[in-house]
Structures are given as C-alpha cells and as structure tokens.
C-alpha cells in the first residue's frame, strides 16, 4: 500500500569493473540481496533487505562491493525524526511490537568515555609489566567475614566454594537458541584455554559442551529450560537470571521455528514449540522467595557451587543488590542498559534501565556502607568495548566483567542489530545449518582468545602505569579515576573527583 | 590551602627504629642520632617519634597527647575528656624553645583511665571505647587533636626536621625500650602538626615510607568497618588495617603482615598444600587489605615491633641485630652510626616481614 513507504537503509554498491560475476555474494547473503539476472550470469543486487552485515563485502574475492547509507531526506524535524515516522509506519501496517537485536544504540551518555585513568609520576614508581609479575587472577564466590588461623601458615577457616579465573573478563550469558552451538563452542573453548568462564544462558546445556562444563556458568531462568540436577552439578557456578539489561522486566520468547531438534533437547521442550520465559520467576515474588531458590540450588549441588544472581540495572539497583547479598547470593551480576540481546522489544531496549557505570558505582558504595562488600563478588555487564572500560569498571568496584558483544565481534559480528531475524550471515545468531556451518569453532576460539589475551596485556600495562601489580588493589580504587565534563551529581554517584582535582 | 585530611598529600620519608627485646632502656638521643643521619630524606615539613615504656609510673593509664590551637578548643576538649575518663594528671608537655620549630600549638598530656559506667552504657569494650572517644575529639572538636593515646607510650611530633623535633621535645630526657622515628618529605606544605608522623591508635604506632598505590582500595575496604580515614594518609590507613585485623579479627601480628604483603600467586602456586590453602584463603578474604606500591612500614606496639616491606621491594628498609637489640632504618648507615658492629645486617624483603617480640611482656602475660 502506498502509505507504507519506508526508505531502505543501505545501498549495495558493486564496482562492475572489478566484479567477476563469481556468485559468491549470491550464496552468502541470507537476506537474498544478491541474485543472478534471470537466466543470465550477471550478478545484480536489491538493497531493500540489506542490513549492512558486511558478509558479502568481506568475502568478495575482488573487493568489488561496498555498502553505503541510503539517503532519502525527510523535511527536517528534530522531534519527528525519520526513525519515529518509519516505526509508526511499520506498526500501522503490522499492529505489533517492534523488535530489535543487540544493545541500546541510542546516544545516551557513555560514562566510560567521561572517565580518565591515572598513572604514577615521581612520588610513586610505575611498574614494568615485562619485568614484574602483574596479577589479574580473580577469585569469585562468597568470602567469610574473617580468617581464623592456627598460626602463621595454617588456616582453620574452611572456605565456601571459590572459583578462580585467570582474568577478570568472563563471557556473558548467551543461550543455545539465541546463538548457534558453534558460537557457544568457540566461547567454551576460549574460556577453557584462557582459564575464565563462559555462560550457557538460559537454553540448557548441549551435550557437545560437556567437555567444557568445568568452565561453565549455567543459568536458571524463569522458563527453567534444561534445568535438572546434573545440569546444576556439572557447572562451576549456577546463576539465577532475574533480569537482563537489554530488557529489564521482560521475559523472553524464542520462536518455535528456531526450536529445532537440538534446541528442543537442550531446553527439554517439544520441537517447534515457542520457548517462553515468563517476565518474573513465578516462584519468586519477593526477596524471601529468592532466598529459598538460592538455598534449593545450594542443596541440589551439595553446597559445592557458588550461586550468582543476575539482575538488570534499574533505578533502585543498590537496594536490590544489597537484598540479593542478604538473600544468600554469593555473586551478583548487574547488567546495564547497553547490554546486548538476541531479541528485545525496541521500546524496552531503548528506554528501560540505567547505565552500568552508575549502577555499579551505586551498588558497590551501598554494599560498602553496609560493610558486606568484601563478602560477595560483583560482576558488571552491559557493554565493555575495550580493556580500558574493564579497568574503569574494576576501579569503580567490580570484581569481574561479563563481555558478550566484543567476543561476538571477534567472531565476525558487524553489529547489524538484526539478531532477532535468525538470519545472521556470520553464523552467530542463527540456527540455520547452512549459516551456522560458516562459523568454525576451531578457528574462532583462537580469535576470541587473542582478543582477551590482548585485553589482558593492556590491563596489565595500565595497572603497571598506576603502580599497581595486583588487580586486588585496583578493585574499588576510585582515586585512580577522574571524571571529565560530568556534573557534581554524576561525580557524586560515581564516587570520583573531576579531572584537575 | 587545604590542610591534611581535606586533601591527600603524597610524601617520601625516612624511618628508623630501635628495640631492646629484653626491655632494656634506650635513651632518646640514640634514635635522634639515627634519624638525623638521613636528614636529606626529609624536607623539614614533619618529623616525629614514638617511645614505649616511658611512663612506668602511669603504666595503667592512657596517655593522651593533645595539640590545641587555642584555649577554647582546650576547654571543650577537656570537658569531653573529664566526662568520659577519670583523669589522674594533666600537664603541658615540656618543650625547649629552638629556632627551627615555630608556630606550634599548645601541647598537653593527660593520664586517664576510662569512665567504666559510661563505657558499659555504651556497650563497648575498652579498646573500642577509647578509639571512639579519640575519633570523636579529632572529628568534631575543631582545634583539638589527640595524636597519641596508648598506655605507657607516647608520640612526639611537629613540623620540622626530626632531629629538631627531638630536641624540641627534649627526648634525651626519656628512656624507652622501643623507639620509632620518622622524617617526612611531603609534596606540599600543609604546615599542620597533626599531619606529622608517627600515626597512633591505642598503643599501635606506625611510621611509614612510601606512597601506596592501593590507597583508595584500602581506604574503601577499611571504612566498611566503622573507620574514617580523616587524615587521608597511607600511614593512617595502614594503621587502621593492622588495628582491624589484630583487634577485631584477632589475627597475630605476623598473619596481619601476611595480609598486607601477601606473596604473589606464582609463588603461592608452588607452595605446600597447607600453605597454599592459607595464602589463598587470606588473599581471597582480605583482597581489599593487600597493600600495593612502594612502602616500608614499622609498626610499634607494647608487644614488640613489626617491620614490613612492599612486595616488589620498591622502598629500602635495612635491619640489624646486636645482642638484645634490633635496629631498623631506611638506610644502613643510619643503623651503623648508632651500632657500628652489628651481629647481623640484612635487607627486609617483601615476602619476609620481621617481627621482634618483646620478651618481658610475654612473660608477664603468660
Ligand atoms: S562476490 Fe564480488 S565478485 Fe563475486 S559476484 Fe559478488 S560482487 Fe561480484
Ligand atoms: S550477531 Fe549476527 S545478526 Fe546479530 S548483530 Fe551480529 S552480525 Fe548481526
């Protein structure tokens, strides 16, 4: 119908002089943008469905392709931007909720970019990471209030289950269903080789991941998919997923067409049925209920596994974190509103929740005011783009950081933000065999490892510059941070001074 | 300009200490000689001493040393003291006018025992009661500052070079079984006597050299447990860490030292299972109390002396023994000037804190 015009986003530009009509792009594009001219051998393109995933650009043997923004000007209007008009058109046609993939793309303040790091000069020497040991080993789990010793060298205190990771960077939850098994496998292999952890998400555990369960965090989410005693006992950490930064207060919906045999087995649901995670856990309507679930999991695992509770960063996050700690959570993961997702209602993704920087700072300060920060572990999540973001998060008070988008980018993701369509050309956010086979775990785990190894090096370098040789002394060390261009209120919440002070 | 406590001031320093493990007395002139040799490590903006065993006639009373900026502050502070303690004696601390030390506050000392009724009503043990009273005065009574609050010990400090501070307080008139000394090189001029070191809580006193890079991690750790780092100095936060670990958590001094200077994971991974378990638990529970960056610390107490150095040995600290005496100083020459032929001289390593217990004290206790 004529009233439903929505200009396309991109133009596929083919350099005819370079193109050898090999048809590679035709085979690669799951959105069917490239095609052979009817009955002919000439390759043509229809840009309507192009999402700028760059798969064709990357694979074209002659570099003949380029994607550019398609511009169709609207009359200038700062309020009624083209985006809102187009979304209205879409909803007027469909009557449905808008869906998006990946994290909040709106230009909200990114506090990482407004925080600067410190370095030593004169009064205090910087430390050369090539000469001196630089420790980034991190221990997750509940800590007793104090140590009791028989004498120097002999402890009496028995420690609750502790999980040692060789880097403060963990891979965040991505379920089998939302991403492919090959993508999960790549992360699992990387986690094992790096001495860190990956997170199965709420989709259960595929048998192929069993060799890696020693490095796995398994989730218990509101849908309880794939949860059974062996699942809980196989993992290093069990995580109760209360919320997700990309869609606080919202459940999940994996459409039936993505529930193939494998997904159905892992999730323990019938093939082809929709996998619905309710918005709340229907056995958790209050903090006491959370306590009961934590204790049930501890009983099911013989008190051998730390229990983590993952929540979305919402307005009252500090009080909620404190409540979780008191309910018995050993680890609390806070997911900021820029965290990624396989699919979320666009309105929720773009408007609900708060940035991880503020949530983390507020939660860490609150736990300290209550004198219980040192007894639990705090994991920050919700978009870490580089090692400096991680260093800033640790200095604000995190024990470790969950990363997902960055390792996905290492595996090929180009942030096209259409994970929800299930047509990911990079074989990540899809279950179609012809697409998932494009992602070879034997190669991709190395790229993920390289990325984290590079970040580890950079973290050590930054720490050395600060004169710190153990991540323990960076954690919560907010004097190492200064704000730039922030208001007094923002500085107060972050608990940092302004640059120049 | 902001005074110490309102701003964090990095400083370099010289430290020295002498202890007689059998309780034999050492004259103050010895420690002055030792610290004076390291004149160039200070810049005249702070010096001080702690002396143990100097008030035997009042050994069961807390000796409060207090700086007063004016008579009004003294009046208010005394009102508070007389309410919360039974004061046996109050006097001006004797000093000698010397040109190098000027613009000082009025300096008083009080020998006092706790008011038991108030203490019981507050439901605090004695140590906690005294600490809270001292904190109260230092926080809330403008112009009054309690800089020493132990039993049978005292701190003496001022803005000036340490040898001048020693002469000013006439420390050659005092004999102690344990002396520590400090010369300071702050990077600006606070000109406030309270900012000089040693820093003291109950009978713990600390002298320290270095600028720790873990300061805010340590501060935010310790402030969870009711401490307030009002001075914003490394020495203050290290004192509180020791006080917390030893007084609240009941850890022996050498275990508390292990917490602050825990070995590296590489090393821990190679240890015997028992030791590995000990250090892993210690680092896991007390990660916020690990001290990082360059430092050497001498902790004095009625039980003896503890000397620790940073994990990478970024700051110098030399130790020596001769007979019943042990000597410590930032530079070996500062030991040799008072003890030319020691039995043993070594460099204190990060992994190996040195604890010199006071033997008479242990006998008395057992
Ligand atoms: S992949 Fe490149 S060379 Fe091959 S048909 Fe497409 S544009 Fe032409
Ligand atoms: S995972 Fe795939 S679909 Fe999702 S943003 Fe990345 S490239 Fe696009």
């Amino acid at each position: 119908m004529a009233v439903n015009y929505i200009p396309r986003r991109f133009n596929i530009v083919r350099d005819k002089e370079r193109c050898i009509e090999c048809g590679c792009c035709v085979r690669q594009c799951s959105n069917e943008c490239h095609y052979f001219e009817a009955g002919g051998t000439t390759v043509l393109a229809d840009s309507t469905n192009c999402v700028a995933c760059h798969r064709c650009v990357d694979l074209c043997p002659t570099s003949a392709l380029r994607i550019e923004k398609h511009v169709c000007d609207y009359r200038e209007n700062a309020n009624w931007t083209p985006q809102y008009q187009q979304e209205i058109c879409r909803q007027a046609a469909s009557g449905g909720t808008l869906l998006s993939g990946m994290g909040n793309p709106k230009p909200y303040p990114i506090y990482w970019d407004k925080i600067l790091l410190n370095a030593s000069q004169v009064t205090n020497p910087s430390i050369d990471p090539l000469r001196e040991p630089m420790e980034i080993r991190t221990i997750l789990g509940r800590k007793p209030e104090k140590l009791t010793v028989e004498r120097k060298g002999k402890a009496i205190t028995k420690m609750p289950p502790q999980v040692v990771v060789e880097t403060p960077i963990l891979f965040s939850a991505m379920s089998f269903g939302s991403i492919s098994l090959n993508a999960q496998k790549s992360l699992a292999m990387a986690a094992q080789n790096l001495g860190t952890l990956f997170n199965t998400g709420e989709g259960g555990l595929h048998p192929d991941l069993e060799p890696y369960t020693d490095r796995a965090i398994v989730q218990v989410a509101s849908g309880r998919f794939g949860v059974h005693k062996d699942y809980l006992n196989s993992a290093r950490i069990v995580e109760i997923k209360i919320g997700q930064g990309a869609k606080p207060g919202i459940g999940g919906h994996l459409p039936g067409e993505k529930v193939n045999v494998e997904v159905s087995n892992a999730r323990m649901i019938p093939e082809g049925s929709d996998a619905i995670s309710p918005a709340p856990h229907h056995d958790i309507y209050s903090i006491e209920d959370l306590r009961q679930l934590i204790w049930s999991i501890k009983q099911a695992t013989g008190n051998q596994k730390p229990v983590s509770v993952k929540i979305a960063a919402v307005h009252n996050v500090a009080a909620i974190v404190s409540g979780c700690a008191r309910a018995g959570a050993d680890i609390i993961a806070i997911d900021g509103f820029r965290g990624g997702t396989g699919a979320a209602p666009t309105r929720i993704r773009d408007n609900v929740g708060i940035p991880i920087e503020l949530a983390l700072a507020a939660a860490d300060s609150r736990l300290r005011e209550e004198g219980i920060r040192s007894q639990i572990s705090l994991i920050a999540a919700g978009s870490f783009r580089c090692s400096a973001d991680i260093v800033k998060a640790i200095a604000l008070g995190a024990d470790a950081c969950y990363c997902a988008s960055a390792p996905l980018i290492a595996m090929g993701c180009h942030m096209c933000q259409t994970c929800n369509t299930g047509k990911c050309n990079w074989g990540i956010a899809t279950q179609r065999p012809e697409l998932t086979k494009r992602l070879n775990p034997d190669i991709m785990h190395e790229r993920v490892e390289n990325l984290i190894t590079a970040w580890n090096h950079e973290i050590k370098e930054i720490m050395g510059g600060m004169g710190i040789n153990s991540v323990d002394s960076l954690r919560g060390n907010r004097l190492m941070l200064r704000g730039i261009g922030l208001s007094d209120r923002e500085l107060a919440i972050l608990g940092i001074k302004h640059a120049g002070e | 300009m902001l005074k110490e406590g309102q701003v964090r001031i990095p400083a370099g320093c010289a430290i020295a200490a002498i202890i007689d493990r059998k309780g034999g007395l050492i004259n103050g002139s010895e420690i002055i000689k030792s610290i004076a040799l390291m004149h160039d490590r200070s810049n005249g903006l702070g010096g001080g001493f702690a002396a143990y065993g100097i008030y035997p006639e009042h050994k069961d009373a807390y000796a409060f040393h207090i700086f007063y900026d004016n008579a009004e502050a003294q009046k208010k502070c005394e009102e508070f003291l007389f309410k919360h303690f039974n004061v046996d004696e109050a006097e001006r601390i004797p000093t000698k006018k010397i040109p190098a030390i000027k613009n000082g506050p009025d300096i008083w000392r009080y020998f006092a025992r706790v008011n038991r009724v108030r203490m019981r009503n507050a439901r605090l043990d004695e140590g906690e009661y005294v600490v809270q009273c001292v904190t109260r005065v230092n926080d809330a009574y403008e112009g009054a500052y309690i800089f020493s609050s132990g039993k049978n010990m005292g701190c003496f400090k001022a803005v000036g070079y340490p040898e001048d501070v020693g002469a000013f307080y006439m420390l050659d008139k005092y004999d102690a079984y344990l002396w520590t000394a400090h010369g300071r090189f702050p990077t600006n001029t606070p000109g406030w006597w309270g900012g000089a070191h040693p820093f003291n809580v109950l009978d713990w006193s600390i002298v320290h050299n270095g600028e720790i890079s873990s300061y805010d991690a340590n501060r935010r750790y310790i402030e969870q447990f009711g401490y307030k780092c009002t001075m914003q100095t490394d020495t203050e936060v290290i004192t509180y860490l020791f006080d917390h670990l030893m007084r609240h958590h009941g850890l022996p001094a050498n275990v508390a030292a292990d917490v602050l200077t825990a070995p590296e994971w590489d090393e821990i991974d190679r240890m015997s299972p028992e030791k590995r378990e000990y250090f892993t638990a210690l680092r896991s529970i007390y990660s916020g109390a690990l001290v990082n960056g360059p430092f050497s610390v001498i902790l004095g107490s009625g039980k003896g002396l503890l000397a620790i150095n940073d994990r990478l040995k970024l700051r110098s600290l030399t130790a020596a023994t001769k007979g019943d005496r042990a000597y410590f100083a930032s530079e070996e020459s500062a030991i040799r000037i008072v003890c030319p032929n020691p039995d043993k001289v070594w460099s204190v390593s990060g992994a190996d804190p040195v604890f010199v217990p006071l033997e008479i004290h242990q006998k008395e206790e057992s």
Side-chain angles (χ1 to χ4, degrees), chain A residues 120-121 123-125 127 132-133 135 137-139 142-149 151-155 157-159 162 164 361 364-365 367-375 395-397 399 466-470 472-480 495 497, chain B residues 6-8 10-11 187 210-218 220-221 223-225 232 248-252 254-255 258-259 263-266 268-269 274-275 277-288 290-294 311-312 314-315 351-353:
Chain A
S120 303
Q121 299 286 291
T123 54
N124 176 337
I127 303 172
E132 306 288 353
E135 302 183 324
R137 181 183 289 181
T138 300
I139 303 184
R142 184 165 282 266
K143 319 282 189 279
E145 212 180 315
K146 63 178 190 182
L147 180 72
T148 315
V149 296
R151 57 177 155 78
K152 177 182 160 81
K154 184 156 175 51
T157 308
K158 282 279 158 272
M159 295 294 283
Q162 307 278 297
V164 175
D364 176 77
S365 298
L367 292 174
R368 283 174 198 267
E369 277 161 30
E370 298 185 14
I372 53 174
R373 173 65 188 88
S374 303
Q375 291 172 43
L396 279 180
D399 285 275
M466 293 170 170
I468 285 177
N469 70 352
S470 165
D472 292 342
S473 300
L474 176 65
R475 194 176 308 120
N477 195 335
R478 295 191 187 170
L479 259 190
M480 291 296 165
K497 294 183 172 177
Chain B
Q6 292 161 314
V7 62
R8 184 168 146 73
T187 48
E211 188 202 339
I212 57 176
S213 45
S214 55
Y215 174 77
D216 217 35
N218 301 140
R220 299 185 71 237
Y221 170 77
E223 288 195 346
Q224 290 184 85
F225 312 110
Q232 298 194 38
H248 294 145
H249 287 188
L251 296 178
N254 50 5
V255 175
D258 281 344
V259 169
E264 279 129 22
W265 287 118
D266 277 0
I268 295 174
D269 290 345
E274 182 179 296
K275 275 193 126 176
E277 198 184 312
Y278 164 80
F279 277 114
T280 305
L282 180 143
R283 287 202 61 174
S284 174
I285 298 173
Y286 295 116
S287 63
L290 178 75
V291 178
N292 218 297
R311 310 199 305 163
L312 296 181
L314 298 168
R315 279 288 189 275
D352 234 338

Side-chain angles (χ1 to χ4, degrees), chain A residues 135-215:
Chain A
E135 302 183 324
I136 54 171
R137 181 183 289 181
T138 300
I139 303 184
L140 303 171
R142 184 165 282 266
K143 319 282 189 279
E145 212 180 315
K146 63 178 190 182
L147 180 72
T148 315
V149 296
E150 194 182 297
R151 57 177 155 78
K152 177 182 160 81
K154 184 156 175 51
I156 296 172
T157 308
K158 282 279 158 272
M159 295 294 283
Q162 307 278 297
V163 175
V164 175
V165 284
E166 299 300 341
T167 167
I169 307 168
L170 321 179
F171 301 130
S172 26
M174 286 176 280
S175 68
F176 175 42
S178 78
I179 61 169
S180 64
L181 182 60
N182 280 346
Q184 270 200 332
K185 234 189 255 173
S186 310
L187 293 170
M189 290 163 87
Q192 189 168 59
N193 294 341
L194 291 161
T196 185
L197 301 163
F198 74 104
N199 189 318
T200 61
E202 56 179 298
L205 190 72
H206 190 280
D208 283 9
L209 295 175
E210 261 153 34
Y212 310 100
T213 48
D214 190 40
R215 306 314 305 175

Side-chain angles (χ1 to χ4, degrees), chain A residues 102 413-419 424 426 428-429:
Chain A
M102 278 298 162
C413 164
H414 277 233
M415 281 288 144
C416 71
Q417 299 176 45
T418 54
C419 319
C424 177
W426 295 95
I428 301 169

Side-chain angles (χ1 to χ4, degrees), chain B residues 146-188:
Chain B
I146 303 180
F147 63 98
S148 188
S149 55
K151 283 181 179 171
N152 197 12
M153 64 81 64
C155 290
F156 301 90
K157 57 194 196 181
V159 171
Y161 281 100
E163 59 273 25
D164 297 330
V165 175
F168 173 75
Y169 283 106
M170 301 184 288
L171 295 184
D172 55 352
K173 299 234 156 50
Y174 295 84
D175 295 310
Y177 59 78
L178 164 57
W179 285 97
T180 65
H182 188 264
R184 195 162 185 238
F185 200 134
T187 48
N188 73 354

Side-chain angles (χ1 to χ4, degrees), chain A residues 170-397:
Chain A
L170 321 179
F171 301 130
S172 26
M174 286 176 280
S175 68
F176 175 42
S178 78
I179 61 169
S180 64
L181 182 60
N182 280 346
Q184 270 200 332
K185 234 189 255 173
S186 310
L187 293 170
M189 290 163 87
Q192 189 168 59
N193 294 341
L194 291 161
T196 185
L197 301 163
F198 74 104
N199 189 318
T200 61
E202 56 179 298
L205 190 72
H206 190 280
D208 283 9
L209 295 175
E210 261 153 34
Y212 310 100
T213 48
D214 190 40
R215 306 314 305 175
I217 300 174
V218 296
Q219 272 194 341
V220 173
S222 61
R224 296 287 196 276
F225 299 120
V227 176
H228 53 92
K229 195 164 174 231
D230 295 343
Y231 169 79
L232 300 175
N233 277 295
S234 64
R236 263 331 255 289
I237 294 174
V238 179
E239 183 166 83
I240 299 172
K241 177 192 175 185
I242 299 292
Q244 185 178 342
K247 41 180 172 178
I250 296 284
H253 179 182
L254 189 69
E257 55 262 32
K258 287 193 186 173
V259 183
N260 58 24
V261 193
E262 306 257 321
V263 173
S264 101
N265 283 340
R267 296 204 175 211
M268 308 196 309
I269 54 169
E271 195 182 333
S273 65
D274 287 5
I276 310 253
S277 303
H281 286 246
H282 282 299
D283 53 359
I284 303 181
Y285 284 178
S286 76
I287 196 86
E288 316 86 82
D289 297 343
L290 174 66
R291 185 188 193 92
Q292 285 189 2
L293 181 59
I294 292 173
W295 289 113
S296 317
I297 291 173
K298 289 196 170 174
Q299 279 190 339
T301 55
N303 277 317
Q304 294 305 305
K305 315 283 173 189
V307 175
S308 164
V309 174
K310 178 178 177 182
I311 58 159
V314 290
H315 299 174
N316 202 15
V317 64
I320 297 164
V321 165
S322 157
C324 292
R326 293 184 188 286
D330 305 314
I331 300 169
I332 299 165
I334 312 172
D335 194 10
F337 80 155
R338 282 190 305 269
T341 177
T346 311
R347 289 293 162 257
I348 303 280
R349 184 195 68 172
D350 294 356
N351 294 282
V352 181
I354 63 170
I356 184 59
E357 301 91 322
L358 302 178
L360 168 63
D364 176 77
S365 298
R366 168 64 81 91
L367 292 174
R368 283 174 198 267
E369 277 161 30
E370 298 185 14
I372 53 174
R373 173 65 188 88
S374 303
Q375 291 172 43
I376 58 125
S377 302
L378 213 48
I379 302 178
S383 207
F384 298 98
R385 303 154 303 165
C386 66
S387 56
D389 291 355
I390 307 257
V391 170
K392 291 169 190 176
I394 296 174
L396 279 180

